[in-house]
Amino acid sequence: MGFIQMELARIDPSISTFFGVHAGLAMGSIYLGGSEEQKQKWLPPMISLEKIGCFGLTEPLVGSGTSAGMTTTAKREGDTWVLNGEKKWIGNAPWCDISIIWARDLDDNQVKGFIVENKTTPGFSVEKITDKMALKVVQNGHITLKDCRVPEANRLQQDVSFRDTARVLRVTRYAVAWMSTGCQMGAYEHALKYAQERLQFGKPIASFQMVQDLLAKMISNITACQCLVTRMAQLYEEGKLTDPHASVAKAFCTAKCRETVAWAREICGGNGISVDYGVGRFFADAEAFYTYEGTYQMQNLIIGKAITGLSAFV
Ligand SMILES: Cc1cc2nc3c(=O)[nH]c(=O)nc-3n(C[C@H](O)[C@H](O)[C@H](O)COP(=O)(O)OP(=O)(O)OC[C@H]3O[C@@H](n4cnc5c(N)ncnc54)[C@H](O)[C@@H]3O)c2cc1C
């Protein structure tokens, strides 16, 4: 799966993000937190892409702090839950079929997950977020839930607290590390081709020592990230991938990605600013990788907590 994510992002980080939201976040939530019946009902049509999903965690006023400060609420009334609140930045939301909505239960104060059917649930509405500079193909939405009634049968039956939400994020954060490795590869390949074809002072710019220095640093970043994510895949296979491991992968690879795409853009000179020369898109998309699914700082705080035993954020 990691290699697929890397290859998708090598061509287009938006496509890898769409896939990550649908297959990783939405299907992953049902796979990890759903009952057998819920898995049987929802996963087959999602695998075949007949039904598309999204994952609603972030809110307009609460992003990094959702574990402790989520404001979207769920109130049980018999066999129904009433959801109220807002979710922001939700990938695929403007057009998908189902949303995994995370909300705080007013009775026990724990975060629970709900499968909301976008097109048939009264009180559920989505506004498309426009004028983004990154991941332009991904449709992000601002969801509003107003007395939105969801049957108990659509509550993720195995999830009891935010720890279960974090279980999903552990896998998808590590997937973002694969994607940001692929993003670097795409930018590097465009920049190398450009450097070989672009002539200055009568020679290809690839022949200049300082351009070679940038290319060498880019390939070194890519190699380091590929090695790291491959090791993480081995840990995952062995059932040993922890939250701090996933955070190391996400923080390191997205930071290296930012560096690599900036050097790729630099090699393309003025043309690097234009979206027509390939690298501009990777340059912008790297910013989204750096921030979504937990910012660089939040990943480092998770690592810091594991190192010191002291939490800087709870
Ligand atoms: C393109 C895109 C797609 C997205 N898709 C989804 C999606 O599908 N589903 C979803 O639920 N969310 C999605 N998000 C939201 C994303 O996960 C959040 O933007 C991210 O978690 C950060 O939250 P925030 O934007 O509210 O920033 P804030 O939490 O307000 O953070 C702002 C800045 O403050 C820093 N900061 C915050 N707290 C601390 C602290 N304790 N210590 C140090 N620094 C701190 C942050 O690192 C950051 O630099 C998406 C975002 C983008 C841009």
Side-chain angles (χ1 to χ4, degrees), residues 46-258:
M46 291 178 85
I47 288 170
S48 60
L49 299 177
E50 284 158 68
K51 290 228 179 282
I52 302 296
C54 75
F55 179 92
L57 176 63
T58 308
E59 303 182 345
L61 299 179
V62 190
S64 304
T66 43
S67 59
M70 188 178 292
T71 65
T72 299
T73 58
K75 174 80 186 149
R76 188 163 182 168
E77 288 183 3
D79 274 349
T80 308
W81 290 85
V82 183
L83 307 184
N84 277 292
E86 290 177 53
K87 299 288 176 183
K88 191 174 177 190
W89 285 115
I90 312 308
N92 302 347
W95 61 280
C96 72
D97 303 286
I98 62 164
S99 301
I100 306 296
I101 297 291
W102 299 95
R104 186 169 297 282
D105 182 349
L106 284 173
D107 289 332
D108 66 6
N109 211 31
Q110 296 298 327
V111 169
K112 297 187 166 66
F114 299 87
I115 303 168
V116 182
E117 297 188 56
N118 294 19
K119 292 163 187 165
T120 54
T121 309
F124 181 96
S125 61
V126 189
E127 200 179 316
K128 183 176 153 186
I129 296 173
T130 54
D131 302 329
K132 292 187 301 165
M133 69 166 216
L135 299 178
K136 287 196 167 249
V137 174
V138 178
Q139 312 258 313
N140 292 86
H142 185 136
I143 295 176
T144 303
L145 303 138
K146 206 167 171 202
D147 292 331
C148 201
R149 300 181 85 83
V150 178
E152 160 65 8
N154 281 21
R155 181 181 62 78
L156 292 173
Q157 297 290 318
Q158 316 240 37
D159 287 352
V160 291
S161 73
F162 191 81
R163 274 179 198 281
D164 299 306
T165 322
R167 240 182 348 160
V168 182
L169 293 172
R170 180 189 308 158
V171 185
T172 54
R173 279 175 179 164
Y174 138 84
V176 178
W178 280 98
M179 293 184 212
S180 50
T181 304
C183 178
Q184 295 178 65
M185 291 160 68
Y188 166 80
E189 285 159 357
H190 280 283
L192 175 60
K193 184 167 180 291
Y194 187 88
Q196 287 165 331
E197 291 172 358
R198 175 80 174 174
L199 303 180
Q200 287 301 305
F201 302 96
K203 292 180 192 162
I205 59 167
S207 67
F208 301 135
Q209 291 175 347
M210 289 161 92
V211 171
Q212 291 186 5
D213 176 62
L214 292 179
L215 290 166
K217 288 191 289 197
M218 289 161 75
I219 199 88
S220 303
N221 271 357
I222 291 167
T223 307
C225 291
Q226 287 171 335
C227 291
L228 177 60
V229 288
T230 304
R231 177 65 190 132
M232 293 293 162
Q234 291 166 345
L235 290 174
Y236 184 73
E237 280 289 302
E238 294 163 12
K240 294 181 187 161
L241 188 87
T242 62
D243 288 340
H245 284 138
S247 291
V248 166
K250 207 238 169 205
F252 183 83
C253 295
T254 57
K256 290 293 152 195
C257 182
R258 252 182 148 192

